[in-house]
Amino acid sequence: MSRMITILCCALCFLVGSAQQTHAIETKAALEKLQWRIVVAAYSYRNFTFYETVDKLADLGADAIYGFNFQKIGGGLEGTLNPATMSDDAIAQVKKTLDEKKLQLVALYYGSFPTDETECRKVFERSKMLGIQYFVSEPKPEQLPMLDKLAQEFGMVVGLHGHDKNASPNTWHPALVAKECAKYSPAIGAFNDTGHWIRSGLNPSDGVQTLKGRTVGFDLHDLNPAGSDVPLGSGVGNLSDMLEVLAVVNPNPILIGIEYTSNPENPTPDVQKSIEFLEKEAVRIASAPPRKILPQKKPGFYVGAASCNITPDRPVSLSGQFHTRISQGVITPVEANIVALEWVDAEGKQDYAIIISMDTCAIRHEFNLAFRKAFRETFPELDGEKLILTATHTHTAPGINADDHYRINQDGVMAPSEYVQICIERMIPAVKKAWESRSEGKFAYGLEHAVVAYNRRAIYADGTAVMYGKTNDPNFRAIEGVEDHDVGSIFFWGADDKLAAVLINVACPSQENEGAYKIDADFWAPVRESLKKEWGNDVVVLGLCGAAGDMSPHIRFRVQAEERMRTLRKLGRTQELARRIVRAVEDTWDVVAQTRETPKCVRTLYKEIDLPERKLTKSDYDFAIAEAERLEKIAAESPDGGASGAFTQAKWRRRVAARWEKLKENPNPIYPTCIRVVRIGDIVLCTNQFELYTDFGIQMKARSKAAQTFVVQLCDGVIGSATYLPSQRAVEGGGYGAIPPSNMVGPEGGQILVEETLKMVDALFAK
């Protein structure tokens, strides 16, 4: 009997050993597939020396240790585990002991790096001697360029660590860390402390999702409801969910450090349980189908913002006039500014809007198609109907139109198609940054007024109207239409309670310097500069052009009085316009900054509508043909081939003739366009593609159910984009801006646009 028992015991031991071996193989394969490495933080054994910690981890069967630079070394060696202060002999002895124990010191907490690069280099050099691959630290933001450089040089990684908001104002929130990491190479990453996240009310799953591929490691904690450490997987952190999300959003190598702060006299049993939890989760996650990761699940309002420079480095053709202008330098850079807004309701349903304000004359059809294609390829999960592209309408920005729009005779000039690709290559990463940096936020909005725009159409005694017509003429009788001096502002704050972005809606195109030959963002450049001085360089400022087809920043009368005041202030004209806008925005801020709130909702509606094309007459056709032929003759006989204006104007007239000829096939042609309406709490933004006359914008504002309505023109170019959409009285007065070549759609179409927009607003505010 005893022999039988012995045989059975041996068989059982074999089976147990075999099962353990199988588990070890599965675990190793799972960790390799996920690129996770489990490491025990020496801080778990902070009441012991480093040598004592090494012995305990060797007994535990661990193969990697994550040290901290203020732990006493022990083992007969003086000082702490700080490579910068350790002797060569001490480093050699520590390395020998680690090798003997089959342990690797892969990471080191180094809370504060020297500010001097020579001293900092010493830390890297001597840490490399110990085999350290990762630093975990909380450096000052101004040190990051130096640390990025050194980390790349030494093949190491600096992981940004954070405590709570007060102790770590720059790194406590994953969105802040993501924002910093985006500025540097992959040698700068996030080393997340889930214990501090949970204590700060942050969801670990949302944290790793915000950071995407920038997580390089963890101080992994799980907490009980009282906020104390418990073995991983047994607390309130829902770490199984976080690890599932991590496996999808971050395919890069990750160091998962177990830092257990409870029971410092004997943490080993709970550290062992935490290792077992991680190994089990690794096998489960590696063998399961990849989880579909949805956007932020926590109900709330999320804000992200970014900006990018889209100034070309070579001469380009400037858009906005009939004659060819080749840039002769840069006055101010042109930019694209982006804000990404997201709302998640209590049921997890999501809506969002991405708004891009671009320093350009108009969102041309060619650019719109190319940009949206790149957007779809980069963000297949996002709905392009919720993306708004709008132009500030500066006439001193590079053209994003077809290559043959202007006659270009000079060598070395960048083609519009090349510039379009440059813009896309710079803007898509900025959109990605804005979207991926979303964090919980708030907003506020308000209204002030500033005289920035003037109605640019003068009416004369015979009833005719002229754009920029003289007002000191004896036959001058009136300015044709109303002016809209609203300055609407929307302020957005991120999770760090710092201002992230401000949207400024002014019914005025930025074309004060419209005839210049140098690249210039016009008055939006000094607006941005002034507001960034006030609120910080990280604030993203979006200029949104309101309904301003008949508006301009050019002074129409009382010129001497206005210019005298500007001269006394010692300001240029764009600086003076910026001063007025900034004053209105700051006055609004003073009133509403303390009203910041989480909006009730964010909802975006998109609708494609058909508007009737403006009706043409035979006389319109005859005049267009005659003008086209005259201009083509001038262009043919001109040394510059019509670059001075005849070439482009002839094509302008030919388009009218082509429209007339199509009437034979379809006597009632329609013009397809689109509208987007975005509700943010009690306010709405309403978009259209036209240079929309102010009458229509005021109708929308007056009849809207929203507490404040922002009308945004020059959005989302389609064929014929940025043509004027005139009022009835403008058509009756005639003149540029209200004649057939200027319009694809007439006043009747404008009224349909108003009614359809207001229907969408009504739908957003319906109970």
Side-chain angles (χ1 to χ4, degrees):
M1 178 65 73
S2 60
R3 184 170 181 272
M4 180 63 70
I5 292 174
T6 301
I7 293 172
L8 289 173
C9 287
C10 290
L12 181 61
C13 289
F14 174 81
L15 291 173
V16 170
S18 178
Q20 290 175 339
Q21 185 177 15
T22 300
H23 171 73
I25 293 171
E26 287 179 346
T27 300
K28 182 181 179 182
L31 290 171
E32 287 178 350
K33 178 180 179 181
L34 297 169
Q35 297 194 76
W36 295 354
R37 184 169 190 184
I38 299 172
V39 57
V40 179
Y43 193 74
S44 307
Y45 296 85
R46 61 195 176 280
N47 287 4
F48 301 89
T49 67
F50 180 71
Y51 263 65
E52 290 169 333
T53 301
V54 167
D55 286 338
K56 291 179 181 295
L57 294 186
D59 291 341
L60 189 62
D63 65 357
I65 184 171
Y66 156 23
F68 59 102
N69 70 336
F70 51 93
Q71 186 177 27
K72 290 181 180 180
I73 301 174
L77 296 174
E78 297 294 326
T80 61
L81 193 70
N82 184 346
T85 59
M86 293 169 65
S87 67
D88 288 350
D89 182 63
I91 289 176
Q93 287 190 50
V94 169
K95 188 71 170 63
K96 179 182 178 183
T97 299
L98 289 167
D99 290 343
E100 289 173 350
K101 298 289 185 178
K102 294 182 171 53
L103 274 167
Q104 184 179 7
L105 180 61
V106 293
L108 181 69
Y109 181 85
Y110 209 96
S112 179
F113 283 98
T115 56
D116 179 74
E117 184 172 337
T118 301
E119 290 299 312
C120 197
R121 179 179 293 277
K122 182 179 178 182
V123 175
F124 278 77
E125 287 175 342
R126 301 186 69 75
S127 297
K128 192 77 172 177
M129 293 166 64
L130 280 168
I132 293 167
Q133 300 169 10
Y134 294 80
F135 286 112
V136 184
S137 184
E138 297 182 49
K140 298 176 182 178
E142 57 267 26
Q143 291 182 290
L144 289 174
M146 173 184 68
L147 295 174
D148 186 26
K149 171 187 171 184
L150 291 173
Q152 290 187 73
E153 179 181 335
F154 285 91
M156 300 173 77
V157 174
V158 176
L160 304 184
H161 179 273
H163 291 82
D164 60 31
K165 185 175 182 180
N166 292 328
S168 307
N170 298 313
T171 54
W172 75 277
H173 197 285
L176 295 176
V177 178
K179 189 174 183 180
E180 284 301 314
C181 289
K183 302 175 184 176
Y184 303 101
S185 78
I188 301 295
F191 210 99
N192 311 315
D193 190 312
T194 56
H196 289 300
W197 277 0
I198 296 167
R199 292 186 189 97
S200 298
L202 303 175
N203 184 333
S205 297
D206 290 342
V208 297
Q209 187 177 344
T210 296
L211 288 160
K212 296 290 192 292
R214 296 314 292 252
T215 291
V216 296
F218 286 93
D219 280 330
L220 202 59
H221 297 260
D222 209 347
L223 307 182
N224 63 21
S228 298
D229 270 28
V230 294
L232 299 181
S234 64
V236 300
N238 196 10
L239 296 186
S240 293
D241 183 81
M242 187 207 76
L243 293 169
E244 287 182 14
V245 175
L246 181 69
V248 176
V249 302
N250 192 329
N252 305 316
I254 298 169
L255 203 64
I256 301 183
I258 300 170
E259 185 179 72
Y260 190 74
T261 59
S262 294
N263 193 18
E265 295 299 331
N266 184 25
T268 297
D270 288 339
V271 169
Q272 179 65 54
K273 291 177 183 177
S274 296
I275 292 173
E276 291 170 356
F277 166 80
L278 287 174
E279 290 178 342
K280 180 180 177 181
E281 287 300 295
V283 171
R284 179 182 68 85
I285 293 169
S287 61
R291 170 175 164 178
K292 182 179 180 182
I293 301 300
L294 299 175
Q296 304 276 6
K297 298 183 297 300
K298 182 180 177 181
F301 176 57
Y302 299 87
V303 177
S307 181
C308 67
N309 188 317
I310 53 173
T311 310
D313 59 3
R314 302 206 318 271
V316 291
S317 59
L318 302 176
S319 186
Q321 303 288 352
F322 283 112
H323 59 283
T324 303
R325 291 173 298 146
I326 304 302
S327 63
Q328 299 173 3
V330 178
I331 298 174
T332 65
V334 286
E335 297 180 358
N337 291 283
I338 304 118
V339 65
L341 309 174
E342 180 187 23
W343 171 261
V344 181
D345 67 15
E347 297 178 355
K349 295 179 181 177
Q350 173 213 40
D351 207 341
Y352 52 90
I354 300 172
I355 304 169
I356 304 173
S357 171
M358 186 177 176
D359 287 330
T360 189
C361 182
I363 306 300
R364 303 295 184 187
H365 182 57
E366 295 80 5
F367 177 83
N368 189 50
L369 290 178
F371 185 86
R372 289 183 180 277
K373 179 177 182 291
F375 180 84
R376 288 192 304 272
E377 292 171 350
T378 308
F379 304 98
E381 75 280 13
L382 296 182
D383 185 353
E385 293 180 357
K386 299 181 186 295
L387 169 70
I388 295 170
L389 271 168
T390 186
T392 60
H393 203 59
T394 175
H395 282 40
T396 43
I400 53 174
N401 35 255
D403 285 349
D404 63 351
H405 184 79
Y406 289 108
R407 179 61 57 83
I408 299 175
N409 301 318
Q410 297 182 29
D411 294 331
V413 177
M414 182 183 295
S417 58
E418 183 181 354
Y419 178 66
V420 164
Q421 289 306 310
I422 289 173
C423 283
I424 292 171
E425 289 169 4
R426 296 180 187 179
M427 289 169 64
I428 289 293
V431 175
K432 186 177 179 68
K433 180 180 178 182
W435 180 252
E436 294 184 350
S437 68
R438 299 182 324 284
S439 60
E440 286 187 88
K442 295 184 182 296
F443 92 122
Y445 63 92
L447 175 67
E448 255 298 341
H449 303 89
V451 178
V452 181
Y454 306 83
N455 189 291
R456 50 180 161 172
R457 289 174 55 84
I459 297 178
Y460 296 97
D462 62 359
T464 60
V466 178
M467 186 176 287
Y468 298 127
K470 293 183 178 180
T471 56
N472 60 354
D473 188 294
N475 290 312
F476 169 72
R477 292 295 181 266
I479 294 296
E480 182 182 77
V482 296
E483 295 172 349
D484 181 359
H485 300 308
D486 289 1
V487 178
S489 300
I490 314 176
F491 305 96
F492 295 103
W493 289 264
D496 54 356
D497 205 32
K498 291 182 180 179
L499 189 64
V502 55
L503 275 65
I504 307 170
N505 189 205
V506 180
C508 184
S510 57
Q511 60 180 100
E512 175 61 30
N513 297 330
E514 63 177 295
Y517 278 73
K518 290 188 177 182
I519 292 171
D520 187 12
D522 212 89
F523 60 69
W524 284 115
V527 167
R528 291 192 287 252
E529 182 181 359
S530 295
L531 293 179
K532 286 175 182 286
K533 284 182 180 178
E534 179 75 16
W535 293 320
N537 286 328
D538 290 337
V539 175
V540 176
V541 180
L542 287 82
L544 306 179
C545 185
D550 48 349
M551 297 293 128
S552 163
H554 301 318
I555 304 168
R556 302 300 302 119
F557 58 96
R558 55 182 178 252
V559 177
Q560 286 182 301
E562 288 220 31
E563 288 297 272
R564 174 177 175 271
M565 294 301 294
R566 180 183 64 78
T567 302
L568 290 173
R569 290 190 180 102
K570 298 180 181 180
L571 296 175
R573 179 66 184 152
T574 55
Q575 292 173 317
E576 168 60 19
L577 294 168
R579 181 189 70 85
R580 299 179 188 185
I581 295 170
V582 169
R583 184 176 61 183
V585 174
E586 290 178 340
D587 285 352
T588 305
W589 167 273
D590 290 341
V591 175
V592 308
Q594 300 309 313
T595 71
R596 68 189 73 173
E597 61 177 319
T598 299
K600 301 171 185 176
C601 67
V602 173
R603 290 189 61 197
T604 301
L605 291 185
Y606 170 85
K607 188 174 185 180
E608 296 178 0
I609 62 172
D610 292 331
L611 302 178
E613 282 193 8
R614 179 174 173 173
K615 295 188 180 300
L616 300 176
T617 65
K618 181 62 162 57
S619 60
D620 293 331
Y621 170 77
D622 292 340
F623 186 75
I625 288 292
E627 279 295 284
E629 291 175 349
R630 180 182 70 83
L631 291 163
E632 286 162 355
K633 183 178 179 181
I634 292 173
E637 296 174 353
S638 172
D640 64 5
S644 56
F647 173 76
T648 305
Q649 289 187 62
K651 293 197 296 181
W652 191 55
R653 297 290 182 176
R654 282 289 179 192
R655 285 196 289 270
V656 174
R659 284 163 54 193
W660 166 263
E661 289 165 355
K662 287 183 180 179
L663 292 177
K664 299 172 185 176
E665 304 170 9
N666 180 8
N668 296 299
I670 59 170
Y671 182 77
T673 187
C674 63
I675 307 169
R676 288 176 175 84
V677 178
V678 182
R679 178 181 176 182
I680 309 169
D682 292 330
I683 66 174
V684 292
L685 284 78
C686 307
T687 76
N688 68 87
Q689 69 163 77
F690 301 97
E691 284 200 68
L692 187 69
Y693 272 44
T694 305
D695 282 13
F696 298 116
I698 288 178
Q699 278 195 64
M700 293 181 193
K701 291 182 178 183
R703 295 171 55 193
S704 170
K705 290 183 176 180
Q708 189 170 337
T709 299
F710 298 74
V711 178
V712 188
Q713 68 171 21
L714 294 168
C715 299
D716 307 320
V718 297
I719 295 175
S721 59
T723 54
Y724 292 95
L725 204 169
S727 63
Q728 184 59 45
R729 56 183 164 189
V731 170
E732 292 169 359
Y736 179 79
I739 55 176
S742 301
N743 314 140
M744 289 296 296
V745 176
E748 64 278 11
Q751 195 59 45
I752 294 172
L753 178 71
V754 169
E755 302 301 333
E756 291 295 330
T757 301
L758 291 172
K759 286 179 184 177
M760 294 170 71
V761 174
D762 289 347
L764 287 175
F765 282 86
K767 292 185 179 180

